[in-house]
Amino acid sequence: MNKVASWSEEEVSLWLTDQGLQEYSEPLRNYDGPALLSLTTDDFKRSPLSRVMSDGGRLLLEKIETLKIEHHIDVHKNGHANGHMVLNHNGNAGSAGKAHRNGVVNGFHKELVQIPIPEPSSPQFPPEWGKTAVALVYALCCFVLTTVIISVVHERVPPKEASPPLPDKFFDFFDRVEWAFTICEINGMILIVLWIIQLSLLKHKSIVGRRFFFIVGTLYLYRCITMYITTLPVPGMHFKCSPKLYGDWESQMRRVMKMIAGGGLTITGSHNMCGDYLYSGHTVMLTLTYLFTKEYSPRRFWWYHWGCWALCAIGVFCILLAHDHYTIDVAVAYFITTRLFWWYHTMANQQALKETSQTNFFTHVWWYRFFRYLESNVLAVVPRSYQKPFSWRSLHWGHVKYTRIDSD
Amino acid sequence: MASSDHQGNKDPTNTDGTPSPGTSCPVHSHAAEEAKRNSLRKALVRHRDYVKISVPEGKGNRLPSEWWKTFIALFYAVLNLVLTTVIITVVHERVPPKESSPPLPDKFFDYIDRVQWAFTVTEVNGMVLVSIWSIQLLFHRYKAIIARRYFFLLGTLYMYRCITMYVTTLPVPGMHMVCAPKLQGDSQAKLQRVLQLLSGGGLSITGSHLLCGDFLYSGHTVILTLTYLFLKEYSPRSFWWYHLLCWLTAAVGAVCILVAHEHYSVDVVVAYFITTRLFYWYHTMANLQTLKCSPNNYLTHTWWNPVFNFFERNIQTQVPCSFCWPITWPPACLKNPCKKYSMVQ
């Protein structure tokens, strides 16, 4: 091969075509060998070279590097095989025999083997805030639907005189404690605040937030269905249900607004409507926030996990103690929440489960398509890494211990 | 060597997350391989001129029958059925009388009035499905494994049902229901009722179901749904007409429960949900070998995971669909592949 330094413009153009880069022939038509060798990345930032390919000229520069190496070997004829051998001026290279022009010593070949270096893989956890927004809208829709259904069901609750509270095993053993429901709601609020703080500290908050909104929305949607189809009577005679508004849409809308504004909590005085018993929304929120805080916090914070578990358990116990829900409501809520959480996360963490196949029944759930949409670009387990929420530099100050399971 | 044997048996579709072999994975235990190697070593000591060529385990038996596990599962199911019957008898005493606690408002009942013979249709459908399933099970080659799964799921669903029935007692769904009188504390008569219920299989047709209070959730729906799911899963994929017929039978049966006003809508919905989720969960865990040992598998957080491991530890592949004559007459087990081998399998 001729030395690159002596190439003319035609030879450069031929070489470009040979390498499959004929698109560069036009902008580089006035470049000869030395000019080609002197190309740098800055040249590719300006037009016309910046417009040829989107990689900033990387591919071409790599090939030029290869050429330079060949050029370099050409120049140092005997040089590189066994260190730099001193060339004998007479042309006799001593024990190595006749020096080859190509610098081949002891079988060192001149053809270069290009070792393809894989590109650094694209980030495995693209934020995709758009999808998180979709999940948030879905959750809000489900909340609003739940509130509307509660106000509809309220009209159908049988009065407590006509339909007394159903027999319940827990109520047989434990009498009602009046302030217990306040404890439950306070615990719920603490857990939610903790979860929001934790979410804002997570690095991949968009992905985790998306998951939370989707699961919460789906649980409330299921709750709409179970509340609507069969109406249970009030669990205790202590209930003060608002009077029924037979068909008065305006007042009903006002009630819905009031409930949404108050978050459906009794503490805020927004929850005067009856009939939303099967299944318990309070249990759902307590259990779900506990599961999420445990899942996305460092493994070694066992005291934190235990604290949250205690908050959740006490909250659930207090719901029953206050005789505000039947035991069946709480049991079903716990079951559905845990199963949905585990199902979703197992599907999200195993690539094998994201594809439909004969053996994979997980894809038979109705929300599978939505799940694919949300999780299609998340290709691995979301690592637990943290960063300050509003810093302009993302620092990884919460270092995760590198164990076999954690992978960051 | 143990690890190479181990890898020979692993499912080829290995994805990320599997720990290295030899760690505490309940499925791949090395006890069997150890025993084999020890006996082989002893034999070798006697014949020192042999050169040992380690051949990987090969097919082995990836689907061992292990009838004793099936009997344990059967025992578990029977135990839960008996427990359910006892709980029904107990709950019956606590059902509020229909005069003081009228039937709860139900959306389905608002739209559809009661049809008297509908419940008979449900029970007939249920019996038909169960008999077809028994025949299919009898002719299946791997009946031990499948029966084990069926009994385990049935037992667990009935156990959950015990819990939900017991904690809260719903009133009767309709004024038409005739409940047997309450026996306040008469244990012997209660025992008699339990036996009567068991012998009649809990069906109204046989006249054994006069007890009220077992509403949440519906056992009839559980049987219909579970039997349909099993029928569909363990029959040839190309028998779409068969699957459709079974689906119709199950669906008509479930709807007729509501039409007969024998259960609330929420009972049927919850029963369907719990049955399908449990079935899918169990079978996905059983079919995907990588899940059994994966650390990212939240499915192991269920309480029945150790029982699952016990039953499915030695099953290393998905149960194929092949049938044979039930009585193992020597040339009888024709390996009859009933699926076309396509790229998917």
Side-chain angles (χ1 to χ4, degrees), chain A residues 328-395:
Chain A
I328 186 78
D329 308 339
V330 168
V332 170
Y334 168 80
F335 184 86
I336 292 187
T337 308
T338 46
R339 291 322 186 251
L340 185 62
F341 180 86
W342 289 335
W343 191 293
Y344 188 100
H345 278 79
T346 307
M347 276 224 304
N349 288 342
Q350 313 262 9
Q351 289 307 306
L353 287 177
K354 287 188 189 172
E355 281 104 43
T356 46
S357 76
Q358 299 285 21
T359 52
N360 186 12
F361 293 96
F362 273 28
T363 54
H364 289 202
V365 289
W366 63 271
W367 43 267
Y368 175 62
R369 291 291 171 102
F370 195 12
F371 167 81
R372 283 291 298 265
Y373 165 70
L374 292 177
E375 299 278 338
S376 52
N377 291 335
V378 179
L379 298 172
V381 180
V382 174
R384 298 182 190 89
S385 51
Y386 305 91
Q387 66 185 46
K388 285 191 194 147
F390 297 115
S391 63
W392 48 273
R393 281 177 304 151
S394 65
L395 322 156

Side-chain angles (χ1 to χ4, degrees), chain A residues 80-95:
Chain A
H80 293 276
N82 294 326
H84 282 262
M85 265 173 57
V86 177
L87 249 192
N88 218 329
H89 286 290
N90 300 337
N92 302 327
S95 55

